[in-house]
């Protein structure tokens, strides 16, 4: 599992920009419906060739981060 901290505080704009970047750079990509928690946290899950990529905007942890079954560096170089 790969973990990437994008921002050290929860941020809706950073979360949205990260989702857009994944959608633009990673292909093929299947997108699930976004999950919204009562505290404002959001989770966006994608599937790429059978691997899961999950972007979190987590107000409890206070961070925007990605948990991915694949390394994402190759898509962003």
């Amino acid at each position: 599992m790969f973990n990437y901290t994008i921002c050290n505080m929860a941020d809706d704009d950073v979360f949205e920009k990260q989702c857009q970047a994944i959608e633009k750079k990673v292909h093929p990509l299947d997108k699930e419906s976004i999950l919204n928690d009562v505290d404002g946290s959001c989770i966006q899950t994608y599937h790429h060739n059978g691997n899961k990529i999950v972007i979190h905007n987590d107000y409890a942890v206070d961070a925007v981060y990605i948990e991915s079954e694949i390394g994402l560096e190759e898509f962003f170089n």
Side-chain angles (χ1 to χ4, degrees):
M1 182 70 73
F2 296 85
N3 295 294
Y4 304 93
T5 300
I6 305 303
C7 185
N8 62 359
M9 56 190 260
D11 186 301
D12 294 336
D13 291 331
V14 172
F15 173 77
E16 182 62 34
K17 287 178 184 176
Q18 191 60 53
C19 291
Q20 291 173 358
I22 291 289
E23 292 172 18
K24 181 179 178 182
K25 300 275 188 172
V26 180
H27 298 280
L29 195 66
D30 294 316
K31 179 179 177 179
E32 291 186 10
S33 296
I34 195 165
L35 300 175
N36 295 295
D37 198 349
V38 294
D39 70 355
S41 297
C42 300
I43 300 172
Q44 180 63 67
T45 302
Y46 299 97
H47 298 275
H48 171 70
N49 294 334
N51 295 296
K52 195 181 284 190
I53 303 168
V54 184
I55 305 174
H56 300 263
N57 186 31
D58 193 327
Y59 281 93
V61 173
D62 202 18
V64 176
Y65 61 96
I66 299 173
E67 295 174 318
S68 178
E69 293 178 345
I70 59 170
L72 298 175
E73 295 86 359
E74 67 180 279
F75 299 103
F76 291 94
N77 286 329

